[in-house]
Amino acid sequence: MKYYAGLDLGGTFIKCGIVDENGKVLIKDKIPTGGDRPWERVAADMAKLASSLAEKAGVKLCGAGIGSPGLIDSESGVIVYSNNLRWNYVPLGKTVSEALGGTPVRVANDANAAALGEKYFGAGAEFDSVVFVTLGTGVGGGIVINGKLFEGNRSAGAEIGHTVICMGGEQCTCGRKGCFEAYASATALIRETKKAMKNNPDSKLWEIVGGDLDKVEGKTAFDGLHAGDKVAAGVIDEYVNCLAEGVANICNEFHPEAVLIGGGVSAAGDALMAPLREKVKTLIYGVADYAPVQILKATLGNDAGMFGAACLAMEK
Ligand SMILES: [Zn+2]
């Protein structure tokens, strides 16, 4: 049996799991990132975490993988740019590899890595080609074609959150207007929930957040929906409409076997997934029953990045 370390480098925590070639997690742990420290110290901590966990599990590592936020040159393992960590051209892969005594280390963007994790050990396990969409603060994604990660030239691609679904629409963080992310992220859902509440002082949503607009979360509108609130139902309906447009674009571009929906908003489960499936079906190009695309909830949750990083190490 071969063993690998999957390291998920986040803005707050570094998570690591020791995973065998079948995707079984032997042990996992997390430590604070301390991202304001020099990157060399963060890299040293990552290597130390991986080696100490491998030692505790009593196994020798065949390799390690790292999922990192930002633009990553996965060929060289260099973090080209990370807004999150404020890193520029950091040779993370090489540094962690040296600290692990020459163990091979591969690095990729965290959302891309998570897509691999879901493909091999999550909701995509029975498929060859999947697109993973994560609905969080932003909209991230990863594309796996015939079992291989598709990252575009110099791994700069798969930014599915920054494809426009409404020209001249909502301002996006990337500078463009009307991006998928500006409508389908948790941030967008919160924005629309607040807007609807301001326009509807009688909505039950006010009760749900105790009259405090600052307490609105991604799940608030879903809570309202379950409480039978019409305003909340309207917010969710419009949110699902936008999400469906973006997912239908993905289907028309790649026609994968499945689109996997992850991230915080996906926790809503069927209240999100059932109407999303119905709407996407009406939008996809082609004959309805010929090569249907399955729209599934991702299953690995917060561990997708860790599993994905381990997949990188397995050279999947
Ligand atoms: Zn954008």
Side-chain angles (χ1 to χ4, degrees):
M1 188 68 80
K2 289 181 171 170
Y3 301 94
Y4 304 89
L7 284 151
D8 183 10
L9 173 60
T12 316
F13 288 106
I14 300 162
K15 289 195 259 175
C16 182
I18 307 298
V19 182
D20 76 15
E21 59 193 276
N22 297 323
K24 187 178 159 230
V25 181
L26 276 63
I27 186 170
K28 63 175 180 174
D29 200 2
K30 64 178 180 180
I31 56 171
T33 305
D36 44 358
R37 300 177 298 162
W39 69 264
E40 290 89 345
R41 293 192 42 205
V42 179
D45 277 358
M46 293 173 80
K48 209 188 291 169
L49 179 62
S51 58
S52 73
L53 286 177
E55 200 183 310
K56 272 185 201 160
V59 300
K60 189 181 173 312
L61 292 177
C62 290
I66 301 170
S68 164
L71 174 59
I72 319 297
D73 181 353
S74 54
E75 191 69 36
S76 62
V78 169
I79 315 291
V80 177
Y81 169 74
S82 173
N83 182 36
N84 214 324
L85 297 161
R86 298 198 183 90
W87 288 359
N88 280 297
Y89 288 94
V90 165
L92 187 67
K94 185 170 162 273
T95 308
V96 173
S97 173
E98 281 168 6
L100 287 172
T103 303
V105 175
R106 288 185 67 206
V107 191
N109 170 271
D110 49 4
N112 284 349
L116 263 190
E118 286 287 348
K119 152 68 192 92
Y120 282 96
F121 301 121
E126 58 180 294
F127 308 113
D128 293 322
S129 300
V130 301
V131 177
F132 173 65
V133 182
T134 169
L135 311 172
T137 308
V139 173
I143 301 158
V144 181
I145 299 174
N146 296 327
K148 293 277 173 207
L149 200 53
F150 176 81
E151 300 179 289
N153 183 30
R154 302 194 67 194
S155 2
E159 289 297 340
I160 58 170
H162 301 289
T163 54
V164 168
I165 61 166
C166 177
M167 266 177 77
E170 293 285 345
Q171 183 64 51
C172 183
T173 53
C174 74
R176 222 172 161 195
K177 281 183 176 169
C179 284
F180 185 28
E181 169 167 310
Y183 291 89
S185 61
T187 313
L189 177 57
I190 291 167
R191 179 194 68 222
E192 293 304 313
T193 306
K194 287 181 176 175
K195 208 189 281 177
M197 287 169 69
K198 284 183 194 156
N199 291 333
N200 295 278
D202 298 333
S203 164
K204 276 187 195 160
L205 288 166
W206 285 104
E207 224 171 282
I208 288 167
V209 297
D212 185 354
L213 217 48
D214 291 338
K215 294 217 169 94
V216 174
E217 306 170 83
K219 70 190 269 287
T220 304
F222 288 99
D223 289 343
L225 178 76
H226 294 307
D229 183 65
K230 282 204 178 94
V231 174
V235 170
I236 300 295
D237 191 49
E238 196 44 40
Y239 175 78
V240 172
N241 279 340
C242 296
L243 179 58
E245 291 291 346
V247 170
N249 288 343
I250 291 167
C251 294
N252 287 353
E253 282 157 349
F254 299 101
H255 213 98
E257 291 157 278
V259 176
L260 313 175
I261 309 289
V265 181
S266 72
D270 277 349
L272 175 75
M273 299 303 296
L276 177 63
R277 284 187 192 109
E278 288 310 309
K279 278 181 185 149
V280 170
K281 215 187 281 176
T282 66
L283 299 173
I284 294 187
Y285 181 85
V287 180
D289 295 334
Y290 179 77
V293 181
Q294 301 212 42
I295 315 288
L296 303 171
K297 184 175 174 292
T299 55
L300 298 177
N302 291 331
D303 284 341
M306 182 196 79
F307 276 102
C311 288
L312 292 171
M314 293 172 201
E315 300 205 14
K316 290 197 184 287

